[in-house]
Amino acid sequence: MAEQRWSVSRRTFLRGTVAAGAISAGAVAGAPGFAAPPGRRVAVLGGGVAGLTAAHELAERGFEVTVYEARALGGKARSVGVPGTGRGGRPDLPGEHGFRFFPGFYQNLPDTMRRIPVPGNADGVWSNLLAVPEARFSRRDGDDILLALPDSLTAIQVTPDSIRESLAATITTATKMPPAEGAYFANRLMVFNTSCEARRFGQWEYTSWHDFVRGNQRSHEFRALISRSLTSIMVAAKENLASTRTIGSMGEQFLGNPLGHGNDGGLDRVLNNTTNTAWIDPWVQHLRTLGVRFELGARVSELVVRDKRIQSARLADARTVDADYFVVALPVEQARKLWSSEVLAVAPELSAMDRLFVDWMNGIQIYFRTPLRISRGHTAYVDTPWSLTSISQNQLWTHKLPSFGDGSVADCLSVDISDWHSVGMLYGKPATECTHEEIFREVWAQLSSHLNDREQLLRPADVHSWFLDPGITWQGAQNANADPLLINTAGSWDARPNAHGSIENLFLAGDYVRTDVDLATMEGANESARAAVNALLDVSGSNAQRCTGFKLRRTPELEPLRAVDASRYAQGLPNLFDTPT
């Protein structure tokens, strides 16, 4: 269950804090050249969602915070302008690492968003979220599935039997699978949802989702929709690698949302503008008012250890960062480069991070001169070799696309490429070996094979231009990727570090840190940063109120069955619903 929300505003609370060295956030903002009392200086290394969250929580509690970021604030969540496309005073066309969405079960991130003020928005940037009404599963040479998504969710009374029956009926109707397949998947969901915590960590953590749903024994339709598409479109994971504990937990949240469990809003939400306009820019501005300082172009190259503490950090340009506490908020592939032999001598547990797996999941935006009518939400292209998903954005934004670029762009199809290693349709090569032009042509061919088999929804003559994530760069005979994504794998919980370990003044924030959501998400980054700040408050002896920590929800009606499962697991017996068929 979530901790109780604040009964007073955090700024009000901080003004009443009398702990040694504590100051109000307002004092920081109003004191140029302010120097924090000894023991209050924090260096946040990395300016993505995790780093900005840590800075936010610390600044509200009176710490002097400086964020060091090598490239751009917002990390993979930021908007990316397409260079040189702006005309007549218009901003450049908006690009991005890939589209993002905010499921209704997110709790930590929305709490932060409500505390980022925006003129005219009572709930800050949270008010810039909107629920999309549908999702489309597009098939090649087959009937597409259009799912209506509820935007008004209320709790209902349920029983275990009604849950299973409703799941089976919904799956069968929504996916057009045979009733036996729908009933089978509903039963697998019941196996997981009635599993106790000990079984989830002891058995399902080490079982891949593909093996759990026994995908190799099911129909092609089942594998395409349930085993593959749901993992790629809903949680950006790979079904043959991801642990059942993690994917099952995400499914539990999605299913609980319409039942009224853990709702923060509609099942599938997006921002009503470019990410920077709707969220990142107001956030950075608010942090500046709290006294947070930003150092851009600051790439961390080394952590200096002395007396089992981090004495300083060194930047690539030879500058030294001195602070009392260090929060490493870098992506996992960057963070573990900092674990020198000196760091590992004090914190040997960090060496396990080498077992964490990253892979490519980047996006391409295609700009059109005419509006698109593909879906009023996200679309998954079920049979595509590169596991494509997309969303058309102009219909969702208050800042319409003709106000960008040269004024002739009417829509943008933002496409995520989830599989960079399978051979494509046109060139017989994976995306990693295709030039940028070949990637665009391959993506276009795969989209067209799905959308133009009944009517021509995509027309080459309507294409204005396209933009590939700038993290993808062509080097020699293949691409390099500056922004890979942490990929959940079965058993990876053992390799994930806690937010605070053996080094007293070192704290970790990022989606690779142990969190309840346990997935590469903005929610996980935010949750981990809250844990890092709470650990820092403990170490510093601060009596400031700790960050609220929200946990994933469980369907309460199934709790008696989880108690039964705890007894069965202790006896070495399978879950009550886990039958061989």
Side-chain angles (χ1 to χ4, degrees):
M1 181 175 293
E3 297 178 14
Q4 186 175 358
R5 292 180 181 269
W6 299 93
S7 58
V8 296
S9 74
R10 297 191 178 200
R11 193 168 296 185
T12 300
F13 173 82
L14 287 168
R15 279 198 289 266
T17 301
V18 294
I23 57 172
S24 74
V28 176
F34 169 79
R40 309 292 291 184
R41 301 171 304 156
V42 183
V44 176
L45 310 180
V49 172
L52 295 180
T53 300
H56 193 160
E57 299 290 350
L58 288 164
E60 285 187 339
R61 290 160 175 80
F63 285 82
E64 179 188 302
V65 182
T66 303
V67 176
Y68 298 86
E69 167 57 38
R71 293 165 63 191
L73 298 174
K76 288 191 281 285
R78 74 190 188 279
S79 302
V80 182
V82 182
T85 56
R87 299 286 189 277
R90 300 180 191 88
D92 288 337
L93 287 172
E96 56 193 357
H97 166 77
F99 69 73
R100 58 200 55 83
F101 80 117
F102 302 76
F105 69 82
Y106 278 12
Q107 300 281 335
N108 293 283
L109 187 62
D111 176 67
T112 295
M113 297 176 82
R114 284 186 172 90
R115 288 156 37 217
I116 303 171
V118 173
N121 285 2
D123 286 312
V125 302
W126 182 89
S127 297
N128 291 336
L129 292 173
L130 57 88
V132 298
E134 64 187 22
R136 180 174 184 167
F137 291 81
S138 184
R139 304 300 304 268
R140 182 180 184 181
D141 300 324
D143 293 334
D144 288 2
I145 298 169
L146 200 62
L147 295 180
L149 304 178
D151 61 359
S152 179
L153 307 171
T154 56
I156 61 175
Q157 293 297 317
V158 294
T159 65
D161 286 341
S162 68
I163 290 175
R164 184 163 58 169
E165 292 169 3
S166 297
L167 284 175
T170 300
I171 292 164
T172 300
T173 302
T175 63
K176 302 179 183 179
M177 283 195 303
E181 294 272 57
Y184 170 78
F185 184 52
N187 185 73
R188 297 312 292 166
L189 293 177
M190 283 297 291
V191 169
F192 183 82
N193 289 356
T194 59
S195 290
C196 64
E197 286 299 292
R199 188 184 299 279
R200 293 185 184 205
F201 277 92
Q203 181 177 0
W204 303 138
E205 168 63 22
Y206 302 97
T207 304
S208 76
W209 177 249
H210 178 77
D211 288 345
F212 175 75
V213 299
R214 300 167 186 162
N216 61 326
Q217 302 174 22
R218 313 312 299 181
S219 67
H220 171 75
E221 187 76 4
F222 182 95
R223 293 195 302 272
L225 288 172
I226 299 302
S227 187
R228 189 183 194 199
S229 293
L230 287 181
T231 52
S232 64
I233 192 173
M234 294 296 188
V235 294
K238 300 181 185 298
E239 82 282 358
N240 60 326
L241 298 176
S243 80
T244 294
R245 184 183 69 82
T246 300
I247 301 303
S249 292
M250 294 302 97
E252 193 171 21
Q253 305 314 303
F254 281 113
L255 292 170
N257 186 267
L259 296 176
H261 301 307
N263 291 346
D264 181 76
L267 188 69
D268 180 357
R269 298 174 297 177
V270 297
L271 289 167
N272 65 1
N273 216 318
T274 67
T275 308
N276 274 32
T277 300
W279 175 27
I280 301 299
D281 289 348
W283 198 4
V284 171
Q285 177 58 36
H286 179 56
L287 295 184
R288 292 187 191 278
T289 67
L290 295 178
V292 176
R293 293 189 289 270
F294 296 96
E295 291 279 350
L296 292 177
R299 187 176 299 277
V300 183
S301 60
E302 182 184 5
L303 296 177
V304 180
V305 180
R306 176 171 294 179
D307 298 328
K308 298 183 178 181
R309 291 171 55 87
I310 303 301
Q311 180 189 47
S312 61
R314 289 188 180 135
L315 304 180
D317 60 8
R319 286 184 295 163
T320 297
V321 175
D322 294 315
D324 301 300
Y325 307 101
F326 294 83
V327 178
V328 172
L330 299 168
V332 60
E333 73 279 1
Q334 298 297 327
R336 57 192 178 195
K337 292 178 182 178
L338 299 179
W339 309 152
S340 63
S341 58
E342 290 79 12
V343 170
L344 293 177
V346 184
E349 69 272 12
L350 296 179
S351 63
M353 285 175 55
D354 287 340
R355 303 202 306 270
L356 295 176
F357 178 63
V358 296
D359 204 352
W360 295 23
M361 195 172 290
N362 301 63
I364 185 172
Q365 290 80 55
I366 307 175
Y367 305 97
F368 291 80
R369 297 185 179 90
T370 56
L372 297 169
R373 46 190 184 87
I374 297 171
S375 169
R376 295 181 296 162
H378 292 95
T379 299
Y381 303 88
V382 175
D383 310 301
T384 48
W386 290 359
S387 295
L388 304 181
T389 50
S390 76
I391 191 165
S392 48
Q393 296 178 317
N394 192 66
Q395 62 185 329
L396 305 167
W397 287 356
T398 56
H399 193 186
K400 298 300 183 183
L401 278 158
S403 62
F404 293 88
D406 62 8
S408 67
V409 172
D411 216 335
C412 171
L413 190 66
S414 187
V415 184
D416 277 5
I417 305 170
S418 298
D419 186 341
W420 286 73
H421 306 293
S422 293
V423 171
M425 296 171 54
L426 291 183
Y427 301 104
K429 297 188 293 186
T432 53
E433 297 177 11
C434 289
T435 65
H436 290 191
E437 180 72 25
E438 289 172 338
I439 288 174
F440 163 68
R441 293 184 180 277
E442 182 71 56
V443 167
W444 181 266
Q446 294 184 29
L447 294 175
S448 299
S449 71
H450 282 60
L451 295 177
N452 291 350
D453 53 349
R454 293 291 187 272
E455 56 179 319
Q456 194 168 11
L457 297 177
L458 298 180
R459 301 175 186 274
D462 294 336
V463 175
H464 175 280
S465 56
W466 53 270
F467 179 67
L468 183 65
D469 178 2
I472 303 295
T473 55
W474 183 253
Q475 297 182 7
Q478 61 182 10
N479 289 300
N481 190 346
D483 295 305
L485 187 72
L486 175 71
I487 301 297
N488 177 272
T489 57
S492 60
W493 180 261
D494 297 338
R496 286 176 174 261
N498 291 313
H500 184 230
S502 302
I503 300 179
E504 183 184 31
N505 67 335
L506 177 65
F507 308 87
L508 307 182
D511 56 20
Y512 63 91
V513 174
R514 286 185 174 182
T515 60
D516 208 36
V517 73
D518 192 44
L519 200 67
T521 57
M522 298 179 292
E523 175 78 351
N526 186 282
E527 182 186 349
S528 69
R530 291 165 180 252
V533 169
N534 284 344
L536 192 154
L537 295 174
D538 291 342
V539 169
S540 69
S542 171
N543 70 349
Q545 190 162 351
R546 270 42 179 176
C547 305
T548 304
F550 298 91
K551 298 299 183 181
L552 298 179
R553 305 299 179 91
R554 303 280 186 262
T555 305
E557 291 81 0
L558 298 180
E559 196 56 44
L561 291 174
R562 295 188 194 104
V564 171
D565 190 59
S567 175
R568 291 180 64 85
Y569 183 69
Q571 298 175 63
L573 298 173
N575 180 275
L576 194 63
F577 295 92
D578 198 359
T579 59
T581 56

